[in-house]
């Protein structure tokens, strides 16, 4: 199976906090649940069972194990049986807007269309699995390095757009990856080698520790949507031996039928991770190109000596093949037509070791189609208008326009001049790390705005050196309008930019941005600020300056950056974006600081999620912090009114907790004699390539690991190999959990009117108060997006289901609607909710 890189690795996870040597731990949950083909998976499951039943053990193991780093054409590739922005390490592909931009559109259709377009490009390149989209990190920390790869710190907004993106990818015939599962909330200490290089002497990656209620109501929420929505085929994970999160939450409770794959270099054990629910190792080797694997031959040995039951490996293979058939990959499949490792036309089949056939490895297939159109549209419709004092839209007749700031112009080294986009040169259209792609081109704001001004026969001048403040002042003082460009970047922790080790070291603007803004504002009474950033930045020093007449946030818009912005600046697109995160006055306003010190001696640093569900706007509401721009806020070139809130109870059946037992674990095919799994005679072995075969019939010597050799099985957890029927969890029973959770209990309707003079987009938002003393003031539950002409009205009708109105009961391990009174609020942001009503009692 071939993998295209969308994003990579994740943080370790512990899901329950308890006192054990003063450290948190996850309670064990075994055995690993076996797939049963429930729901829409029935046909794919039956086809998977049919083919797996015909496989040898070696072929099953081949499916579960990557062949090694740079040993095949894709960034990860399993043996054969007879990114969030585009395709990484490729060419003639598109560079899409980031996930955070999709969140700013609040548009389900745009999320789907972007996903579909990305999936088409991956499919056209011969890639079976796209490593995206991401809902982890969710966004606990505003300065988290990889927040931009996901959507929003609100689980409901993220969940819907996450699921729609997955639908789009999989409708294009490519398996989507729901990542990073789960609690991947910062880059510091995510990878031990990176921490060691930074001078920290630690033995393990960061442990994220939180309570069961927070896990369910916040971080697990969007992953449940992913399983329920299009039922994503694959999850990627760093905590590959955490049986609580894999076996219990994902497979037993949410009913996930696809496969779980390790993140790159996140696989740290063989038997333990197999029994804890890991189904595939990527890229297969333990360290890049060491020729060793926790799976591969060791997995074969584990079955032969009985430490891993046959049903567990059979289940791995069935899950992988079911995902393959589920998206119709058998109809779309083609060999990769590119190499991730070179842009040369010809090269070795196995690039890492320069072995195998010397062949045509790059066919230079152009997969861009007409995707520039959707990229431009998402870029424009994700722009959030934060301030507008009659400055926008521009008329196109301005006599003298000045463009100020490095962020307006080109990277002097070229759009792709910094490897993995690991710099902040020129305009910011994509952040850095493994979630990047190569630009096919990049339309800068300077280019697009200059074209607009020249069409209107005006004059336009640019200063893109952020140190040239005197030159900026002189031009600004003579201008009709000063367009000021600033940015703030972040990314994955294996790259450090200007002291930012993946995570941002603060929330200020980069490269003297504040002084660029102040210089312009002091010299031009019509200064418009455009921010390209990975998330919130601090604007308190300048946002209310009287000469700053407009502020726009444009995020990370991809290859059509300048064109998307010009569409909004000149009124061809009425901005309808809403900020998917909160803009606070200080970093301290957000709470929950990053863990940046080794706080556990030489052991794993500990990150305790003591704030519970109170992140982003929930935190601001709880502590009465007044944000500068609240979650869900965004202006338009028109105005909207809300009226006529109506509540209609629906006759939903009573909730019934799931009960009973599973079937016994099935096995498919037989395991042959040990001698049948020795390397085939005549096989030309490639150096560093990961194979499923054994060096000899002596299992211990073949493994070099006594546990695989069968001499020590005392470490295997109780019940881990038990294939007998297992108790069903109360909250289980269908994709995403108990089907009763998704029964609609109440319908809410409201009338929305365009009260302005131009057509525009509005995003109505419905929030719920769950009523309990320790609950957030409000939580987002539903939203939509409408385009309305002047004076046009639309009745927005939506429903709230049982999950929307429930809390997680830790004792009963199920969702319950508490006795506290529930209320709904409808409006245009988390703090502009003019309509509200109480809900009837429900159960």
């Amino acid at each position: 199976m071939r993998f295209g890189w969308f994003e990579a690795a994740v943080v370790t996870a512990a899901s329950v906090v308890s006192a054990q040597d003063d450290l948190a731990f996850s309670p064990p949950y075994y055995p690993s649940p076996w797939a049963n083909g429930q729901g829409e998976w029935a046909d794919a499951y039956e086809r998977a069972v049919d083919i797996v039943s015909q496989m040898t053990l070696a072929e099953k193991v081949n499916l579960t194990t990557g062949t090694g780093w740079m040993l095949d054409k894709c960034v990860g590739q399993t043996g054969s049986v007879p990114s969030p922005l585009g395709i990484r390490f490729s060419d003639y592909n598109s560079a899409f807007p980031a996930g955070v931009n999709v969140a700013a559109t609040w548009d389900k259709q745009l999320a789907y269309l972007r996903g579909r377009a990305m999936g088409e490009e991956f499919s056209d390149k011969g890639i079976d699995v796209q490593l995206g989209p991401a809902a982890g990190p969710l966004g606990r920390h505003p300065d988290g390095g990889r927040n931009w790869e996901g959507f929003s710190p609100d689980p409901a907004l993220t969940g819907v757009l996450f699921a729609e993106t997955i639908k789009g990818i999989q409708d294009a015939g490519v398996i989507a990856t729901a990542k990073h599962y789960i609690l991947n909330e910062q880059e510091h200490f995510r990878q031990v080698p990176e921490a060691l290089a930074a001078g920290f002497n630690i033995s393990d990656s960061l442990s994220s520790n939180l309570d069961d209620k927070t896990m369910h109501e916040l971080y697990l929420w969007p992953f449940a949507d992913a399983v329920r929505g299009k039922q994503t085929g694959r999850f990627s994970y760093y905590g590959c031996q955490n049986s609580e999160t894999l076996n219990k939450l994902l497979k037993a409770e949410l009913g996930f039928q696809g496969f779980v794959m390790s993140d790159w270099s996140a696989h740290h054990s063989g038997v333990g991770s197999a029994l804890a629910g890991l189904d595939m190792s990527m890229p297969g080797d333990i360290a890049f190109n060491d020729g060793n694997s926790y799976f591969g031959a060791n997995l074969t040995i584990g079955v032969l000596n009985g430490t891993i039951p046959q049903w567990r490996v059979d289940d791995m293979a069935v899950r992988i093949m079911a995902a393959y058939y589920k998206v119709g990959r058998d109809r779309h499949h083609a060999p990769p037509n590119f190499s991730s490792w070179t842009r040369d036309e010809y090269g070795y089949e196995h690039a890492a070791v320069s072995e195998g056939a010397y062949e045509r490895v790059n066919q230079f297939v152009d997969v861009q189609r007409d995707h520039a159109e959707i990229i431009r549209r998402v870029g424009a419709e994700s722009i959030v208008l934060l301030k507008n004092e009659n400055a926008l839209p521009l008329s196109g007749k301005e006599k003298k326009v000045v463009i100020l700031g490095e962020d307006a112009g080109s990277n002097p080294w070229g759009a792709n001049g910094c490897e993995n986009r690991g710099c902040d040169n020129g305009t910011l259209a994509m952040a850095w790390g493994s979630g990047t792609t190569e630009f096919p081109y990049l339309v800068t704001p300077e280019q697009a705005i200059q074209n607009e001004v020249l069409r209107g026969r005006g004059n336009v001048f640019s200063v893109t050196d952020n140190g040239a403040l005197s030159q900026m002042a002189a031009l600004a003082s003579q201008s009709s309008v000063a367009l000021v460009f600033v940015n703030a970047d972040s990314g994955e922790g294996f790259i450090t930019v200007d002291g930012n080790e993946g995570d941002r070291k603060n929330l200020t603007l980069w490269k003297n941005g504040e002084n660029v803004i102040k210089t312009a504002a002091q010299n031009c009474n019509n200064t418009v600020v455009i921010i390209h950033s990975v998330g919130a930045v601090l604007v308190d020093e300048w946002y209310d300056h009287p000469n700053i007449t407009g502020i726009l946030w444009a995020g990370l818009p991809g290859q059509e950056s300048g064109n998307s912005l010009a569409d909004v600046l000149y009124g061809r697109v009425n901005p309808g974006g809403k900020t998917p995160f909160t803009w606070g006055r200080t970093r301290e306003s957000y709470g929950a600081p990053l863990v940046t010190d080794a706080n556990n001696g030489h052991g794993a640093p500990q990150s305790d999620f003591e704030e519970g569900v109170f992140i982003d706007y929930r935190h601001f509401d709880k502590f009465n912090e007044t944000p500068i721009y609240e979650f869900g806020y965004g202006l338009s070139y028109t105005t909207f009114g809300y009226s006529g809130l109506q509540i209609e109870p629906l006759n939903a059946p009573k909730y019934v907790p799931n009960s009973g037992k599973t079937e016994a674990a099935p096995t498919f095919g037989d395991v042959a004699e040990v001698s049948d799994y020795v390397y085939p005679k005549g096989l030309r072995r490639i150096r560093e390539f990961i194979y499923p075969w054994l060096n000899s019939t002596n299992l211990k010597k073949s493994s070099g690991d006594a546990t695989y050799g069968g001499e020590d099985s005392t470490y295997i957890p109780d019940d881990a190999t038990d294939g007998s029927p297992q108790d069903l969890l109360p909250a289980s029973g269908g994709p995403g959990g108990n089907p009763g959770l998704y029964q609609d209990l109440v319908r809410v309707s409201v009338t929305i009117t365009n009260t302005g003079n131009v057509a525009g987009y509005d995003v109505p938002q419905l929030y719920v108060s769950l009523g309990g003393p320790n609950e957030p003031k409000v939580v987002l539950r539903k939203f939509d997006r409408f385009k309305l002409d002047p004076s046009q009205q639309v009745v927005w009708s939506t429903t709230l289901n049982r999950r929307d109105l429930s809390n997680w009961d830790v004792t009963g391990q199920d969702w319950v609607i508490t006795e506290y009174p529930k209320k709904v609020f409808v409006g245009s942001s988390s703090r502009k909710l003019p309509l509200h009503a109480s809900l009837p009692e429900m159960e």
Side-chain angles (χ1 to χ4, degrees):
M1 199 165 286
R2 286 84 171 179
F3 295 79
W5 208 308
F6 188 91
E7 301 140 330
V10 223
V11 78
T12 53
S15 64
V16 175
V17 174
S18 181
Q20 179 176 315
D21 298 328
D22 297 322
L23 293 179
F25 78 101
S26 288
Y29 186 89
Y30 294 98
S32 183
W34 37 92
N36 59 15
Q38 67 180 7
E40 295 180 6
W41 285 81
D43 180 65
Y45 175 80
E46 291 301 324
R47 295 184 66 191
V49 166
D50 181 63
I51 193 169
V52 170
S53 298
Q54 303 173 51
M55 291 181 185
T56 66
L57 175 60
E59 290 172 332
K60 296 171 187 175
V61 170
N62 238 6
L63 273 183
T64 71
T65 311
T67 57
W69 181 248
M70 294 180 63
L71 268 302
D72 271 307
K73 290 183 178 180
C74 293
V75 293
Q77 195 160 320
T78 60
S80 60
V81 176
S83 176
L85 305 184
I87 304 168
R88 191 181 181 209
F89 300 152
S90 181
D91 53 13
Y92 299 99
N93 54 263
S94 303
F96 289 84
V100 70
N101 281 68
V102 177
T105 70
W106 296 60
D107 192 311
K108 303 165 192 175
Q109 183 190 33
L110 285 181
Y112 174 85
L113 292 174
R114 170 179 170 270
R116 178 73 183 244
M118 290 192 296
E120 288 171 348
E121 296 200 4
F122 279 77
S123 182
D124 289 349
K125 285 288 187 181
I127 299 169
D128 299 328
V129 181
Q130 178 174 329
L131 300 181
L138 184 65
R140 178 192 184 212
H141 310 287
D143 37 8
R146 302 181 74 178
N147 292 353
W148 57 272
E149 298 184 28
F151 298 93
S152 166
D154 181 84
L157 179 58
T158 286
V160 170
L161 301 178
F162 193 38
E164 289 296 323
T165 303
I166 289 167
K167 287 180 185 178
I169 293 168
Q170 298 199 160
D171 281 354
V174 171
I175 301 169
T177 302
K179 59 187 298 186
H180 304 90
Y181 182 77
I182 194 169
L183 307 180
N184 172 52
E185 295 298 319
Q186 67 171 69
E187 286 300 287
H188 280 79
F189 305 119
R190 181 175 60 84
Q191 297 268 28
V192 171
E194 291 171 9
L196 295 174
F200 295 100
N201 184 17
I202 63 171
S203 60
D204 293 296
S205 298
L206 183 81
S207 177
S208 297
N209 312 318
L210 79 167
D211 62 277
D212 195 27
K213 174 178 164 69
T214 300
M215 172 65 90
H216 281 82
E217 295 184 10
L218 193 61
Y219 296 99
L220 192 63
W221 187 286
F223 289 102
D225 287 337
V227 174
R228 178 169 174 78
K230 186 66 178 181
Q231 302 179 32
T232 183
R234 193 180 71 85
F235 275 65
S236 77
Y237 198 34
Y238 197 96
C240 300
Q241 201 168 318
N242 192 304
S243 63
E244 169 82 1
T245 55
L246 291 181
N247 287 344
K248 184 180 182 182
L249 297 182
L250 180 58
K251 292 185 174 180
E253 184 179 316
L254 298 186
F256 178 56
Q257 299 291 303
F259 64 100
V260 176
M261 182 197 74
S262 75
D263 221 320
W264 270 237
S265 297
H267 190 187
H268 299 301
S269 71
V271 174
S273 59
L275 297 177
L278 183 69
D279 301 306
M280 181 184 286
S281 177
M282 273 291 147
D285 36 23
I286 294 175
F288 286 177
N289 305 120
D290 66 358
N292 299 314
S293 179
Y294 288 116
F295 279 4
N298 279 328
L299 190 56
T300 304
I301 293 168
V303 175
L304 292 175
N305 69 21
T307 53
I308 300 174
Q310 180 191 340
W311 61 258
R312 176 76 271 266
V313 175
D314 287 352
D315 184 59
M316 295 178 184
V318 165
R319 287 175 175 274
I320 293 166
M321 291 309 302
Y324 184 85
Y325 290 128
K326 180 71 166 58
V327 302
R329 193 65 200 149
D330 54 316
R331 300 191 303 273
H332 296 274
H333 177 79
N337 52 48
F338 75 105
S339 169
S340 296
W341 318 118
T342 179
R343 297 277 62 79
D344 294 341
E345 185 173 1
Y346 290 89
Y348 284 101
E349 180 183 4
H350 306 292
V353 293
S354 298
E355 292 186 16
Y358 191 79
E359 60 187 11
R360 189 184 187 199
V361 294
N362 280 306
Q363 298 177 33
F364 307 112
V365 177
D366 188 337
V367 300
Q368 298 170 85
R369 303 194 187 192
D370 58 355
H371 295 153
E373 296 177 11
I374 187 64
I375 292 170
R376 182 170 180 168
R377 182 179 170 191
V378 173
E381 297 190 21
S382 62
I383 290 174
V384 181
L385 182 59
L386 297 171
K387 180 179 181 179
N388 189 18
E389 302 292 340
N390 299 314
L392 299 172
L394 300 175
S395 68
K397 302 296 182 181
E398 289 77 15
K399 289 186 177 181
K400 191 169 187 177
V401 176
V402 296
I403 302 169
L404 305 177
E406 179 181 325
D407 181 68
S410 298
N411 180 347
W413 300 346
N416 299 315
C418 303
E419 187 174 0
N420 295 303
R421 312 295 78 78
C423 65
D424 186 39
N425 300 343
T427 193
L428 181 64
M430 182 188 303
W432 78 73
S434 61
T436 60
T437 187
E438 299 289 294
F439 285 107
Y441 60 83
L442 175 55
V443 180
T444 70
E446 181 182 22
Q447 293 167 331
I449 293 166
Q450 178 173 286
N451 290 337
E452 297 284 347
V453 176
L454 296 181
R455 275 197 292 269
R457 304 182 66 83
N459 291 181
V460 58
F461 301 91
S462 301
V463 180
T464 56
D465 180 345
N466 280 10
L469 298 182
S470 60
Q471 290 87 346
M472 289 182 178
L475 278 177
S477 66
Q478 305 165 20
S479 67
S480 307
V481 58
L483 302 176
V484 183
F485 289 83
V486 291
N487 70 34
D489 203 354
S490 72
E492 192 171 353
F494 75 92
I495 295 174
T496 296
V497 179
D498 193 25
N500 296 269
E501 299 172 352
D503 300 319
R504 285 189 279 171
K505 59 186 178 182
N506 53 51
L507 296 185
T508 59
L509 294 169
W510 287 33
K511 294 195 169 184
N512 203 33
E514 284 84 3
N515 286 329
V516 171
I517 293 171
K518 292 174 184 177
T519 297
Q522 289 164 4
N523 291 278
C524 177
N525 64 2
N526 189 19
T527 296
V528 176
V529 178
I530 298 94
I531 304 168
H532 288 113
S533 74
V534 292
V537 295
L538 301 182
V539 301
D540 57 301
E541 292 183 5
W542 52 266
Y543 81 100
D544 57 353
H545 192 291
N547 286 349
I548 294 179
T549 53
I551 303 173
L552 302 98
W553 178 82
L556 304 170
Q559 67 190 45
E560 289 284 322
S561 175
N563 288 335
S564 296
L565 178 64
D567 286 341
V568 171
L569 288 176
Y570 289 91
R572 291 187 293 272
V573 173
N574 189 340
K578 302 286 185 176
T579 178
F581 47 78
T582 300
W583 298 65
R585 295 183 178 276
T586 65
R587 170 59 181 89
E588 291 71 27
S589 300
Y590 295 86
L594 295 163
V595 175
T596 56
D597 293 318
N599 57 12
N600 185 32
H602 300 315
Q606 303 291 302
S607 180
D608 297 325
F609 288 40
E610 295 176 346
E611 73 283 351
V613 300
F614 294 96
I615 67 171
D616 200 75
Y617 71 90
R618 303 172 182 214
H619 175 88
F620 280 77
D621 289 348
K622 179 177 181 178
F623 291 98
N624 295 316
E625 286 271 359
T626 301
I628 292 179
Y629 301 117
E630 72 271 17
F631 174 82
Y633 171 86
L635 301 174
S636 169
Y637 296 155
T638 188
T639 55
F640 298 93
Y642 291 76
S643 62
L645 176 64
Q646 295 184 351
I647 306 295
E648 178 190 357
L650 301 176
N651 296 319
K654 185 177 180 179
Y655 179 74
V656 179
N658 199 18
S659 61
K661 288 183 176 291
T662 69
E663 299 292 330
T667 57
F668 308 109
D670 298 317
V671 175
E673 298 297 323
V674 172
S675 58
D676 290 334
Y677 299 105
V678 176
Y679 274 93
K681 291 181 179 180
L683 174 72
R684 180 189 174 189
R685 295 170 66 172
I686 303 298
R687 285 182 299 123
E688 302 176 5
F689 199 93
I690 306 302
Y691 294 98
W693 294 295
L694 314 180
N695 290 318
S696 73
T697 57
N698 186 311
L699 298 182
K700 181 178 179 180
K701 289 183 178 179
S702 288
S703 173
D705 183 338
T707 58
Y708 275 105
E711 294 186 357
D712 178 15
S713 60
T714 59
Y715 68 95
I716 296 177
D718 292 340
D719 302 324
T721 60
D722 181 5
S724 65
Q726 302 294 312
D727 290 333
L728 297 171
L729 299 178
S732 70
N738 192 312
L741 295 175
Y742 301 96
Q743 293 169 340
D744 291 330
L745 303 184
V746 62
R747 184 177 304 280
V748 181
S749 302
V750 63
T751 299
I752 306 164
T753 305
N754 183 339
T755 57
N757 298 318
V758 295
Y761 293 96
D762 190 40
V763 178
Q765 303 162 39
L766 186 154
Y767 295 78
V768 170
S769 168
L770 295 172
N774 298 313
E775 297 299 324
K777 181 179 178 181
V778 293
V779 291
L780 179 72
R781 284 295 184 255
K782 301 292 180 179
F783 61 90
D784 214 327
R785 194 169 191 263
F786 297 99
K787 184 174 184 181
L788 299 175
D789 292 327
S791 302
Q792 183 180 355
Q793 289 187 336
V794 64
V795 175
W796 176 46
S797 181
T798 188
T799 56
L800 294 169
N801 61 35
R802 183 171 277 106
R803 185 178 68 146
D804 293 327
L805 301 175
S806 294
N807 289 108
W808 180 253
D809 179 3
V810 174
T811 302
Q813 288 293 287
D814 204 355
W815 293 93
V816 297
I817 297 179
T818 65
E819 62 185 11
Y820 300 104
K822 310 289 186 286
K823 294 181 179 179
V824 294
F825 300 81
V826 180
S828 59
S829 76
S830 64
R831 292 206 170 188
K832 292 182 175 63
L833 300 168
L835 305 181
H836 52 87
S838 296
L839 292 177
E841 292 186 8
M842 284 166 283
E843 62 177 6

